[in-house]
Amino acid sequence: MFKNEEMEINLGPQHPSTHGVLRVKLRLDGETVTHCRPMIGYLHRGVEKICENQSFFQGQVWTDRMDYCSAVANNLGWAEANEKLLGITVPRRAQYIRTLLNEFNRIASHLIWLGTHAMDIGALTVFLYAFREREDVLDINEAFCGSRLTTTAFRIGGLREDLPPGFEKMVRKFLAKFSDCLEEYEALLTENRIWKKRTIGVARLSAEDAIALGVTGPMLRAAGVAYDIRKAFPYAAYAEMDFEIPTRTEADTYARYQVRMAEMRQSARIIQQCMDGMPEGPVMAKLPKILRSEVNEVYHATESPKGEIGYYLVGEKGSLNPYRFHVRAPGFINLQSLPKMAEGGLIADVVAAIGSLDIVLGEIDR
Amino acid sequence: MNKFLRTLLPADIAKGLSVTGKHFRQVFFTANRRKVPFHIVSEYPEVPAKVQPRFRGRLTMLKDEQGVIKCVCCLACEKICPTQVITIEKGKQEGRKMPYPVRYDFEMERCIFCEFCVESCGFDAIILNHQFELAAYNREDFSLGTEGLGQNMFEPSHVGKFSVADD
Amino acid sequence: MSEPNVPQTPEAAEVPAGPYVYDYKAAPYRQITMPKTVPLPSYHAYVAEQKAAAEADEAKWQKTLADYETAKAKAEAEGKDAPKPPVRPVPRKDDNDMKPPVPQEATDADLLKLKELLGDKVEEIFEQAGELVCQVKKEAIHEALAFCRDEAALKYEMLADQSATHYPAAKDYACSVVYHLTSISRRKRLRLRILVPEGFAPESACSLYPSANWMEREIYDMLGIRFQNHPDMTRILCPEDWEGYPLRKDYPTVGWGQRDIAFREDRGGMLERIALQKAGQLGINLKQPKAD
Amino acid sequence: MPTPTLTQSIVITFIQCLMVVIFVFVVVPLTVFAERKVLGHLQQRLGSTRVASGHVGFSGWMNRRMWKMGKVPVVSYWRGIPGLVGDVLKLILKEDVIPAKADKFVFFLAPSISMVAAIVVFAAISFVPGTFFTFPTWFPYLGGLPVSGGISDINVGLLWILGVATVGVYGIVLAGWSSNSKYPLLGGLRSAAQMVSYEVPLTLSLLAPVVLSASLNFSEMATRMAVGMPVWALIPQVIGFLLYLTCGFAETNRLPFDMPEAENELVAGFHTEYSGMKFGLFYLAEYINMTVVSALASAFFLGGPWLLPFGLQGLLNPYLPGFLSWFAAPHAIFFVAKIVFLLFTYIWVRGTIPRYRYDQIMAVGWKYLIPLALVNLLLAAAIRCFVV
């Protein structure tokens, strides 16, 4: 008379909290998830193939459109990988400006994460407050490179232009108010009993599992592994910056929240140092008119807000375009850990887990 | 006991309520005033949006003081464009030594506003202007050029004329 | 704008009303310039190349000298002025910040340790641009990965990235598969590389590094390399019934799945002209009515 | 005062029903509008300013003129109001899609149940103690007859309200089931469990004022509490009040307890498959329920139609002349003001705190709220025995 049956349910591709076109096939026993399988590819545009067929210079616009929430970080990784492939040294001032913009981008990306994650869990207002500050960051992007989201910020060998007039004022204004704003978000979330209940102990991913699954970024640091490429393999001007790597050991959603909030504070600190210690000099290296590569292959990884973004480039002798262009997208690798986090939890925890992953489908599907 | 009391008294929730309540009060009493905007939204079509000086908008061709197109058909922009939206046809014009663009087509619907074309131009013949309201009703309205019906690369009036503020 | 492959702009009457249909069978639907070289960085190859280049240079110089000698002798015999003695050309030095990195001999302890552990299963070790590269035999990749992960002196805990490249111009292999390992505790990176011929299925790294799961699926999806003992060897980004492997060099960049070009209204035929021209540039063959 | 005949009383009741319906259909859209505005302000936005308005008609012309003069339009506060009309029109005119495999009859029935259960509750709520107004003698047929402040001032008003309100859960459960779709089914299941478990602490927390005032009758309770006791139940019953508000949030499926429609997990929960006016009915029912819960809270804990506790009402009560009481009716105004404040609280809370998880809701309900409600009831009894 009674039948015990598991229900299969599709979370996505169109769903309010899968952050794009992610589809997760869930098998439910009541509300408990017994099986979880993420399915991706709905946003696949063949960025790697396109970049292989375009020159070194043109590839940047496609990196903007991979992880559109952190375009500057993608640009930075792309520029540095190309510079490594071609053997270019970048002037120091350009390095500082790159660092500065990258940290602004980290703040913007984390703010988007904070807003959407809080909204997934039901706190509507944090979303708008987070976007309020993100707006200022986008204005700064616009002032520097002319575009807000798809920045195309850097060039191989440095920058296109120096900082615009009035830039420093904008930055200082932002820094002056930012810590107050962070406190505002924290007043709404950190102590809140419901927020704590929804996040503490939810979607745990231990350090061993995280390393085995290749998870990087705040996800890994929330598990207690202080692995940050900015410190481990310093690039741009990070070797000269004084900052900390925030870590937690709980490895749950709340720990990831705390790590990201602390990272935003550290980013503000780095921006302050960049602004104070900005060296004078050119912003572009001396380059030949046409960039031609030698036979070479490089893998260059940088710390994007989501984790380790790596570019694997193969250069052909005398060629104008990369022979192979591969992106190690942090979201792609991090998303592998979703079944590990979600199975055994409730369906609401799947949403929290997806939120704490901070995925952007543009870079996962590429 | 302490924990029990903390559970019973919703101090954390009251803290959150005070933050949102503060913003409510500020916005509620200043919503209709222009001087002290505690709200962060701008009333866009009525109050025009401001862009930064380096903003990358629509591609526009420039003319020199005599009203002659500056472009000399070096095809640099056509080659650098990542999405191949520019098509140029070289030609001759009487009384002009440099080549003259007989046709300069720009398919705006595929343009990604990266400004590579402007960067590659050695003659300062093109710029990206500050126009960002780039909506139109018809697909062909996005094909701009130096010739043809209603296709104008020189003025920002062609697209974006459907703004609410204008009617 | 007069490329050879631009089709003749047809008369207005001849052009079909559209939409243009992409014709698969009628014509070369793609223009793929297959790579002619094998850009696989390798220390041996580099050394050999340098040596060959030096020899060629030397030979050329000798030939120039010989030519000079004969010309000089001839001039002397004819009683004319002697020609100028040749000057050996010095390679031009560019005054810029670009110095492409070249492969260098392996000196890093990790590479030497790997060489020691794996013996003749290692095909090559070298360093380039500060990166450690170790190419192993394709059958030994699992063993090599196991050493990298478990050996106390190596301890590469994380497989950061796995990727593959198609080399259609190579003779005895078709693709290379690279494994980028990261040692979090020792702050080091290492690249393992295998060369895989067509149809060969290398051992999957999933049992050692679970993160290889999706990356190997992606490699299968994009380049068609299957992996043995993989838990779930299915396509990941493309649909399951997709034909071909997009990141192979023989896969067209335009054509398959290209949207048909159809304009609702074409003022003055300009868009049509653009479309035809673009199609010609991109190598799309648009079906046109027969002339008869 | 003449005694009405049966027909006359039926007509009067009909008029009262009409008044309640009008009240509901005025309050609900205004609540929706207020929700947009208040949520907007909480989030440092302006709320709806231009939905289907601000650009058309006279107000549009005026707005444009003012913008051109460089001023923010004075009427900008109300610029979003016509959007409500647009919403209603959209809901009515929208195509009504019924899933192919749905149980058509039940699918149709479910929103009606929700709506009816929500609106019938008002039968026992009295907005004004005693007579609301009297028909003037020249009035045909009904001249000289009094109209009381509630449709039926029955002496088990509370039981009626709780009983009828519980029926509302059927609407949600049936909607979830009959859609024959997975997300609605989950939503329906959640709501069944949630509403049943929160019914208990809700009732228990309402019992405390009943114990204090020793009556189940609505107006009597309010009167006794303001005049006889003479104190608002809020003052001895702070815990009870918070308890009741919490359970009220849960009963009306509002954030933090909006499990059945948890947008970010279940898309739209039980009404995922509903569109058009069927969805509109659910929407209406939710807001009516909010109003009911606020009305009950104001009646039981905030002294109902009385503005001030401790008998101070007597000083303030102006005993307006009869002709003014038609409009001024301060009791009703106080009552509505309290409801409005509580509705504001609803929105305020919605804008501030996150959502519980399903199992946590059940844990909170059974482990914390029910014991607390029992303790609170004991407290009320003690007050009743020893203080009053």
Side-chain angles (χ1 to χ4, degrees):
Chain A
M1 187 177 151
F2 295 110
K3 216 165 45 164
N4 201 352
E5 205 179 312
E6 286 187 335
M7 181 160 81
E8 203 164 77
I9 195 165
N10 270 310
L11 204 73
Q14 280 107 34
H15 189 275
S17 57
T18 52
H19 296 236
V21 280
L22 171 66
R23 172 177 164 211
V24 188
K25 228 179 185 177
L26 297 174
R27 219 175 290 147
L28 300 180
D29 176 18
E31 288 247 345
T32 315
V33 178
T34 56
H35 179 81
C36 162
R37 184 182 157 90
M39 307 179 88
I40 58 174
Y42 293 89
L43 204 58
H44 180 58
R45 296 156 293 179
V47 167
E48 293 179 3
K49 185 80 177 176
I50 295 172
C51 288
E52 281 169 21
N53 285 286
Q54 297 202 332
S55 71
F56 289 113
F57 188 74
Q58 288 170 325
Q60 190 179 14
V61 296
W62 306 107
T63 64
D64 285 337
R65 285 154 180 83
M66 285 193 317
D67 178 358
Y68 35 79
C69 294
S70 52
V72 177
N74 294 354
N75 293 162
L76 180 59
W78 167 86
E80 297 222 326
N82 275 303
E83 281 148 13
K84 201 171 174 185
L85 181 81
L86 301 167
I88 298 169
T89 333
V90 181
R92 196 150 161 267
R93 183 174 171 88
Q95 301 277 33
Y96 263 71
I97 297 174
R98 283 179 174 189
T99 311
L100 175 92
L101 284 176
N102 192 29
E103 288 310 309
F104 264 121
N105 179 66
R106 191 179 309 281
I107 288 178
S109 175
H110 280 355
L111 283 175
I112 283 215
W113 163 81
L114 176 69
T116 50
H117 185 43
M119 198 139 141
D120 285 346
I121 293 186
L124 301 171
T125 304
V126 182
F127 180 76
L128 273 292
Y129 290 175
F131 268 56
R132 182 184 61 191
E133 270 68 64
R134 180 173 173 267
E135 194 68 18
D136 296 337
V137 178
L138 294 188
D139 278 344
I140 287 168
N141 269 352
E142 191 187 324
F144 177 71
C145 50
S147 186
R148 298 162 68 79
L149 208 60
T150 50
T151 46
T152 319
F154 308 131
R155 298 289 181 268
I156 297 173
L159 310 168
R160 186 184 164 207
E161 282 174 296
D162 209 335
L163 295 178
F167 187 81
E168 183 167 357
K169 204 177 144 199
M170 280 173 95
V171 174
R172 301 262 184 223
K173 206 172 144 197
F174 176 81
L175 288 176
K177 70 167 191 177
F178 186 59
S179 67
D180 289 348
C181 298
L182 278 176
E183 270 162 29
E184 204 165 61
Y185 315 140
E186 296 204 321
L188 284 171
L189 296 178
T190 309
E191 288 297 310
N192 193 301
R193 61 182 69 187
I194 303 176
W195 177 260
K196 277 175 147 177
K197 271 201 166 174
R198 283 298 306 276
T199 51
I200 289 178
V202 167
R204 260 181 216 280
L205 187 71
S206 68
E208 292 77 42
D209 286 340
I211 291 174
L213 286 165
V215 172
T216 45
M219 297 276 294
L220 185 60
R221 293 195 278 279
V225 183
Y227 175 61
D228 189 324
I229 300 170
R230 292 176 291 172
K231 285 266 191 205
F233 305 98
Y235 56 96
Y238 284 111
E240 300 167 33
M241 299 294 154
D242 174 32
F243 64 100
E244 287 152 23
I245 308 173
T247 49
R248 293 284 183 283
T249 48
E250 295 86 4
D252 55 6
T253 311
Y254 192 68
R256 285 165 211 150
Y257 160 75
Q258 284 177 316
V259 163
R260 288 194 173 105
M261 294 305 270
E263 269 185 22
M264 280 196 263
R265 294 212 158 85
Q266 296 299 328
S267 290
R269 227 175 112 190
I270 296 174
I271 292 168
Q272 186 81 46
Q273 291 172 40
C274 279
M275 223 55 228
D276 292 343
M278 181 75 70
E280 292 300 321
V283 292
M284 190 72 189
K286 265 189 274 174
L287 293 181
K289 276 235 165 96
I290 298 166
L291 299 176
R292 288 182 190 278
S293 64
E294 293 290 318
V295 176
N296 192 359
E297 63 182 337
V298 294
Y299 173 78
H300 187 73
T302 52
E303 183 78 19
S304 109
K306 270 87 179 171
E308 171 176 342
I309 182 159
Y311 288 86
Y312 169 67
L313 304 178
V314 178
E316 195 178 4
K317 190 174 174 60
S319 175
L320 294 170
N321 46 359
Y323 184 82
R324 176 83 171 93
F325 183 99
H326 170 74
V327 187
R328 184 244 193 241
F332 181 77
I333 313 284
N334 288 359
L335 187 60
Q336 278 191 82
S337 63
L338 182 63
K340 196 107 198 166
M341 295 194 287
E343 279 170 15
L346 299 178
I347 187 169
D349 293 343
V350 178
V351 171
I354 292 173
S356 75
L357 275 168
D358 189 14
I359 51 170
V360 167
L361 268 289
E363 74 169 358
I364 290 171
D365 297 339
R366 274 160 289 154
Chain B
M1 187 64 201
N2 203 359
K3 197 186 161 209
F4 176 75
L5 269 181
R6 252 186 284 141
T7 317
L8 201 63
L9 295 174
D12 49 333
I13 289 170
K15 197 174 161 194
L17 286 174
S18 74
V19 169
T20 45
K22 187 188 83 187
H23 287 304
F24 175 79
R25 202 190 62 228
Q26 286 175 345
V27 178
F28 186 77
F29 291 112
T30 58
N32 285 339
R33 272 180 250 159
R34 222 173 187 186
K35 290 284 165 56
V36 208
F38 278 99
H39 55 84
I40 51 162
V41 289
S42 61
E43 304 218 16
Y44 157 58
E46 288 88 3
V47 182
K50 285 195 186 97
V51 294
Q52 299 286 342
R54 286 188 188 175
F55 184 78
R56 310 200 294 247
R58 207 202 82 194
L59 181 64
T60 312
M61 290 190 85
L62 294 181
K63 292 177 176 175
D64 59 11
E65 294 82 21
Q66 283 83 43
V68 183
I69 297 178
K70 278 186 176 179
C71 175
V72 296
C73 297
C74 64
L75 306 189
C77 49
E78 189 182 317
K79 276 180 195 137
I80 199 86
C81 182
T83 46
Q84 292 118 31
V85 299
I86 298 171
T87 312
I88 307 173
E89 199 174 303
K90 253 186 204 174
K92 277 278 175 194
Q93 198 185 27
E94 284 188 19
R96 179 173 158 136
K97 281 183 195 163
M98 304 295 272
Y100 173 81
V102 175
R103 233 183 59 218
Y104 191 103
D105 296 330
F106 170 52
E107 289 167 57
M108 206 188 62
E109 53 182 346
R110 282 193 288 126
C111 181
I112 54 175
F113 310 103
C114 60
E115 214 172 11
F116 283 179
C117 48
V118 178
E119 204 176 331
S120 72
C121 186
F123 299 86
D124 295 334
I126 43 175
I127 54 159
L128 294 193
N129 63 13
H130 286 182
Q131 191 191 353
F132 59 90
E133 294 158 314
L134 302 173
Y137 284 125
N138 296 317
R139 211 173 188 195
E140 48 267 35
D141 287 346
F142 291 110
S143 294
L144 312 185
T146 49
E147 60 167 31
L149 268 173
Q151 289 165 357
N152 199 339
M153 283 288 288
F154 306 105
E155 287 163 18
S157 61
H158 178 59
V159 283
K161 61 188 172 187
F162 306 110
S163 174
V164 187
D166 296 339
D167 62 24
Chain C
M1 292 310 302
S2 58
E3 265 91 5
N5 54 0
V6 173
Q8 289 296 308
T9 311
E11 297 297 317
E14 284 185 13
V15 178
Y20 297 105
V21 182
Y22 180 73
D23 192 354
Y24 287 92
K25 287 178 189 165
Y29 43 76
R30 48 190 167 171
Q31 286 199 327
I32 293 176
T33 42
M34 292 292 275
K36 295 188 182 61
T37 59
V38 186
L40 186 80
S42 149
Y43 183 60
H44 297 321
Y46 176 72
V47 170
E49 198 181 290
Q50 289 292 313
K51 208 176 154 193
E55 275 168 7
D57 194 44
E58 188 61 34
K60 199 179 164 193
W61 173 239
Q62 292 300 339
K63 191 168 175 290
T64 324
L65 273 185
D67 287 352
Y68 169 66
E69 289 299 330
T70 48
K72 198 174 153 191
K74 202 179 165 193
E76 271 174 11
E78 290 172 9
K80 288 177 191 167
D81 288 348
K84 266 191 208 165
V87 183
R88 186 161 188 169
V90 190
R92 208 181 71 204
K93 266 195 175 174
D94 291 338
D95 181 28
N96 57 37
D97 296 340
M98 186 168 138
K99 292 185 181 53
V102 290
Q104 287 161 347
E105 202 173 348
T107 51
D108 194 271
D110 286 14
L111 287 178
L112 298 176
K113 177 84 184 170
L114 258 181
K115 176 90 179 167
E116 183 196 323
L117 285 169
L118 286 162
D120 58 349
K121 284 169 190 161
V122 173
E123 288 178 347
E124 193 173 12
I125 48 172
F126 65 96
E127 293 172 21
Q128 187 172 18
E131 295 184 355
L132 317 178
V133 188
C134 174
Q135 183 177 319
V136 297
K137 285 192 171 153
K138 56 185 182 291
E139 297 84 7
I141 184 62
H142 198 265
E143 200 183 336
L145 284 169
F147 273 130
C148 287
R149 193 187 71 161
D150 300 330
E151 193 65 30
L154 298 172
K155 256 186 134 25
Y156 285 93
E157 297 104 344
M158 188 190 275
L159 176 63
D161 185 28
Q162 188 180 352
S163 177
T165 314
H166 186 212
Y167 295 106
K171 287 193 187 74
D172 41 359
Y173 55 90
C175 293
S176 74
V177 182
V178 290
Y179 299 74
H180 293 106
L181 302 173
T182 307
S183 172
I184 293 172
S185 51
R186 294 170 59 237
R187 300 193 172 184
K188 271 205 153 173
R189 288 213 185 96
L190 171 71
R191 178 184 306 136
L192 287 181
R193 186 168 78 191
I194 52 171
L195 302 177
V196 183
E198 200 70 66
F200 179 82
E203 182 73 24
S204 164
C206 282
S207 55
L208 293 167
Y209 295 103
S211 60
N213 188 334
W214 279 22
M215 294 190 265
E216 283 175 359
R217 280 176 72 190
E218 194 196 342
I219 291 172
Y220 165 61
D221 191 358
M222 292 290 145
L223 288 125
I225 302 170
R226 291 185 152 270
F227 287 86
Q228 279 176 29
N229 302 332
H230 188 278
D232 178 23
M233 198 78 253
T234 50
R235 284 194 180 262
I236 186 166
L237 293 173
C238 295
E240 278 165 26
D241 54 350
W242 193 260
E243 282 175 25
Y245 300 103
L247 281 182
R248 290 195 164 222
K249 292 289 171 191
D250 52 5
Y251 191 89
T253 46
V254 290
W256 293 352
Q258 179 112 8
R259 207 181 291 170
D260 292 339
I261 304 161
F263 296 107
R264 273 190 293 160
E265 193 188 335
D266 190 358
R267 293 187 215 141
M270 192 195 79
L271 295 171
E272 209 161 62
R273 258 161 68 210
I274 296 173
L276 284 171
Q277 205 160 21
K278 280 277 154 65
Q281 283 167 17
L282 297 172
I284 306 175
N285 184 40
L286 298 174
K287 209 185 256 173
Q288 286 167 20
K290 286 276 161 58
D292 58 15
Chain D
M1 203 173 278
T3 323
T5 62
L6 185 63
T7 354
Q8 276 174 333
S9 61
I10 285 173
V11 171
I12 287 176
T13 311
F14 185 76
I15 289 169
Q16 284 172 324
C17 290
L18 210 63
M19 276 160 54
V20 164
V21 168
I22 288 169
F23 170 77
V24 164
F25 280 83
V26 167
V27 161
V28 166
L30 283 180
T31 316
V32 174
F33 178 69
E35 175 141 29
R36 285 174 191 165
K37 277 286 184 193
V38 172
L39 258 188
H41 287 0
L42 290 174
Q43 298 165 347
Q44 290 196 299
R45 295 184 286 120
L46 288 176
S48 59
T49 55
R50 58 187 70 253
V51 191
S53 147
H55 308 293
V56 290
F58 177 71
S59 69
W61 176 80
M62 222 167 81
N63 281 338
R64 276 201 296 279
R65 292 289 303 200
M66 290 198 71
W67 281 117
K68 275 189 183 143
M69 284 155 65
K71 284 177 187 161
V72 179
V74 178
V75 286
S76 68
Y77 229 97
W78 303 102
R79 271 183 292 165
I81 282 262
L84 294 175
V85 183
D87 271 4
V88 172
L89 276 178
K90 189 203 85 174
L91 284 177
I92 291 171
L93 297 176
K94 200 172 170 183
E95 186 190 358
D96 192 22
V97 182
I98 299 176
K101 293 194 175 171
D103 188 324
K104 301 241 165 28
F105 175 68
V106 182
F107 191 78
F108 189 78
L109 189 69
S112 331
I113 292 178
S114 267
M115 183 70 190
V116 168
I119 211 162
V120 163
V121 169
F122 276 96
I125 294 179
S126 66
F127 289 80
V128 184
T131 309
F132 185 45
F133 65 89
T134 313
F135 280 109
T137 40
W138 47 264
F139 204 83
Y141 193 58
L142 298 172
L145 288 176
V147 177
S148 65
I151 293 173
S152 63
D153 204 5
I154 47 176
N155 52 8
V156 285
L158 181 63
L159 286 184
W160 166 261
I161 288 167
L162 292 175
V164 170
T166 320
V167 176
V169 73
Y170 278 101
I172 291 175
V173 174
L174 290 179
W177 176 79
S178 69
S179 300
N180 200 358
S181 171
K182 286 169 182 175
Y183 285 115
L185 183 65
L186 277 177
L189 283 173
R190 281 178 172 195
S191 79
Q194 177 191 329
M195 291 186 129
V196 167
S197 44
Y198 273 79
E199 202 69 37
V200 183
L202 181 90
T203 316
L204 285 176
S205 65
L206 278 182
L207 277 184
V210 169
V211 167
L212 284 178
S213 62
S215 167
L216 283 173
N217 182 302
F218 227 81
S219 55
E220 209 176 310
M221 199 183 300
T223 315
R224 274 193 204 172
M225 251 181 277
V227 184
M229 256 230 323
V231 66
W232 285 7
L234 174 66
I235 290 155
Q237 281 290 316
V238 181
I239 299 173
F241 179 63
L242 290 178
L243 213 59
Y244 173 78
L245 269 191
T246 314
C247 300
F249 284 141
E251 279 293 296
T252 48
N253 302 327
R254 297 282 298 180
L255 218 75
F257 302 101
D258 62 343
M259 277 305 105
E261 49 197 305
E263 185 191 327
N264 299 89
E265 295 142 33
L266 302 185
V267 188
F270 65 93
H271 59 65
T272 307
E273 303 288 348
Y274 281 86
S275 61
M277 204 55 214
K278 290 207 185 90
F279 163 72
L281 287 182
F282 278 124
Y283 198 61
L284 270 177
E286 184 188 331
Y287 281 86
I288 296 171
N289 278 332
M290 270 167 68
T291 319
V292 169
V293 169
S294 308
L296 286 186
S298 94
F300 281 62
F301 292 99
L302 300 178
W306 306 95
L307 179 63
L308 294 173
F310 301 115
L312 293 174
Q313 185 65 40
L315 301 174
L316 202 81
N317 205 356
Y319 293 109
L320 291 165
F323 70 94
L324 261 185
S325 68
W326 271 60
F327 313 100
H331 297 303
I333 287 171
F334 298 152
F335 193 55
V336 170
K338 283 167 188 169
I339 290 177
V340 165
F341 174 72
L342 287 169
L343 287 175
F344 173 74
T345 314
Y346 260 96
I347 301 164
W348 192 5
V349 168
R350 183 186 167 193
T352 307
I353 55 180
R355 175 188 303 122
Y356 271 114
R357 205 171 59 197
Y358 170 66
D359 60 326
Q360 289 164 352
I361 283 196
M362 303 310 277
V364 166
W366 291 100
K367 284 190 196 157
Y368 295 98
L369 295 186
I370 292 181
L372 206 61
L374 286 169
V375 170
N376 183 51
L377 193 60
L378 279 179
L379 193 72
I383 292 171
R384 178 81 193 156
C385 284
F386 302 116
V387 181
V388 182

